[in-house]
Amino acid sequence: MAILVTGGLGYIGSHTAVELMRAGKEIVVLDNLYNCKKSSYSRIKALTGRDFPFYECDIRDRKGLEEIFAKEKIDCVIHFAGLKAVGESVQKPLEYFDNNVNGTLVLLDVMKRCGCKKIVFSSSATVYGVENKSPLTEDMKVGGVTNPYGRTKYMIECILQDLYKSDNEWSICLLRYFNPIGAHKSGTMGEDPNGLPNNLMPYITQVAIGKLDHLNVYGNDYDTPDGTGVRDYIHVVDLALGHVKAVEKAADESGLFIYNLGTGKGYSVLDVVNAFEKASGVKIKYEICPRRAGDLDTCYSDPSKARRELGWQAERGIVEMCEDSWRWQSNNPNGYPD
Ligand code: NAD
Ligand code: UD1
C-alpha cells in the first residue's frame, strides 16, 4: 500500500517524500507543477536512489484523481497541495478558495468513494489567529484569521472535523506548522520561491547570494526583546519527520488528531540574521522598515503534545537551519533547474 503525497514536489512535500522513503514507505506523488519544477522529482530520486510514480495532476481534476486511485494502491494521503502566499491571497481570494478549499473537497470525495479514509493535512499556526498568546497549544480557540490564505486553512480544518464527526472510521491528522526553513543536508533540495520571496529565510539567502541588495526588517517596535518579530522556526527535515510519525499514527488508529509542529523556541528577525551570518560567514545588510500589515509580535508553539503522542520532537537548531539554507542557496543560486 502506498501514501499519496499531494503537492509532493514542493518545498515541504519533497523533503517529506525523501523521509517517507528513508522510513521504508511506498509513495505516489501528485503535483500540478504550479509552484515547483519537475527537476525536484529527479532530485528526490537521486537522493534516495528510489523510483516512485509521479502524476502531473491538479487536485481539482476529479477524473485525474480517480485514475490515480484506480491505478495505485493508496491507503493514506498527505495533503500538501495548495497556494500559500498571504499577500497574493488578499488580491486573489477566489483562486485561493477554489484551489485550497474546493481542491480539498474534490480530493476528499474521491478518497471517500475509493474507501481511503486516512489523511494528514498541512495546516498552519496561522489558524491560531491574533488573539491567542504564545506558547500556542492545540486546545486554544482557532479561527481569528485575518487573510484568505489563513481562512482556507481554518475552513479545511472545519471540513475535516465535520467529516470525522460524520464517519468515525476516518483517521485525520491536522498538522499546524510553525515557520519551516532550512533545506536537505545534501544541498540538492530546498525552498525555491517564485519571484520576490515573501518569507524571511529565502529573502536572507537571496541577499547573501547578491540577488537582493538588503533585507527589509518589518518593524523594530514590537513588544519583544529586540523589538523585531519573534517566530518558531523549524527545520524542514524535522517537519518532514513529523509527517512520518503522523502517517504511522493514522495507520494505527482512527480519530481526529491535531498537532503543532514547531520547536517551542522563538527567535527574532535579528536573531535569525545573526545566526545566518555566523553559519554562512556572509554579512547581511538590512534596513528597519515599517511593520508589515497583519504581522504578530510573537508566535511560537508548545510542541509537547506531538512529543507525547507521536514521539516526535524537532532536533535541529537555528544554526543548522541557517547552514542548510545557505548550502542549498549557494549550490543552486537560481533554484531548481527548468
Ligand atoms: P509549495 O508551494 O512549495 O508546495 C505546494 C505544492 O503544491 C507545489 O509544488 C504546487 O505546485 C502544488 N500545488 C498547488 N496547488 C495544487 C493543485 N491544485 N493541485 C496539485 N498541486 C498543487 O509550498 P510548501 O511550503 O511546501 O507548503 C506545503 C503546504 O504546507 C501548503 O499547503 C502550505 O499552505 C502549508 N504550509 C506551509 C508553510 C510554509 O511556511 N511553507 C507554513 C504552514 C503551512
Ligand atoms: C507568514 C504568513 C503566515 C504563513 C507563514 C508561512 C503573513 C502575515 N503571515 O508568517 O500566514 O503561514 O508565513 O508561509 O504573511 N520579515 C521581515 N522581512 C522580510 C520577511 C519577513 O522582517 O522580508 C519578518 C516578519 O515581519 C516576521 C518574520 O520575519 O516577523 C517571519 O516572517 P515570515 O517568514 O514571512 O513568516 P510569518 O510572518 O511568521
Side-chain angles (χ1 to χ4, degrees), residues 11-12 31-32 34-35 58-59 80 84 99 149 153 180:
Y11 173 47
I12 305 171
D31 202 299
N32 67 356
Y34 178 81
N35 197 36
D58 193 295
I59 49 166
F80 293 104
K84 62 163 186 176
N99 197 84
Y149 163 73
K153 293 291 167 190

Side-chain angles (χ1 to χ4, degrees), residues 137-164:
T137 52
E138 292 86 346
D139 54 3
M140 285 175 169
K141 190 169 178 295
V142 294
V145 277
T146 54
N147 58 74
Y149 163 73
R151 249 185 297 278
T152 68
K153 293 291 167 190
Y154 173 62
M155 287 168 75
I156 297 167
E157 283 205 1
C158 294
I159 290 166
L160 288 167
Q161 302 211 9
D162 284 342
L163 180 60
Y164 179 70

Side-chain angles (χ1 to χ4, degrees), residues 246-257:
V247 289
E248 286 169 355
K249 174 92 178 171
D252 281 354
E253 50 182 313
S254 51
L256 185 285
F257 309 102

Side-chain angles (χ1 to χ4, degrees), residues 56-132:
E56 184 175 342
C57 178
D58 193 295
I59 49 166
R60 291 163 296 182
D61 172 3
R62 177 180 295 273
K63 204 163 159 287
L65 286 182
E66 283 170 352
E67 280 169 18
I68 298 171
F69 274 85
K71 199 154 169 234
E72 307 288 347
K73 289 193 169 48
I74 293 163
D75 70 337
C76 179
V77 174
I78 307 184
H79 180 28
F80 293 104
L83 303 178
K84 62 163 186 176
V86 174
E88 184 185 63
S89 78
V90 176
Q91 306 304 322
K92 300 179 175 175
L94 298 182
E95 281 87 335
Y96 271 67
F97 289 115
D98 181 39
N99 197 84
N100 294 7
V101 181
N102 183 31
T104 302
L105 287 173
V106 175
L107 173 68
L108 291 171
D109 193 48
V110 172
M111 287 175 67
K112 187 177 151 200
R113 285 168 195 279
C114 298
C116 172
K117 294 187 177 179
K118 299 184 202 313
I119 185 166
V120 174
F121 172 62
S122 297
S123 190
S124 165
T126 193
V127 301
Y128 287 110
V130 292
E131 298 296 330
N132 292 304

Side-chain angles (χ1 to χ4, degrees), residues 84 86 124 126 147 149 178-180 198-201 203 215-218 229-231 233 269 292-296:
K84 62 163 186 176
V86 174
S124 165
T126 193
N147 58 74
Y149 163 73
F178 282 70
N179 289 60
N198 299 305
N199 298 116
L200 180 64
M201 183 52 82
Y203 207 104
L215 170 71
N216 298 308
V217 175
Y218 297 138
V230 168
R231 296 291 183 275
Y233 296 94
V269 176
R292 180 172 68 178
D295 271 358
L296 302 173

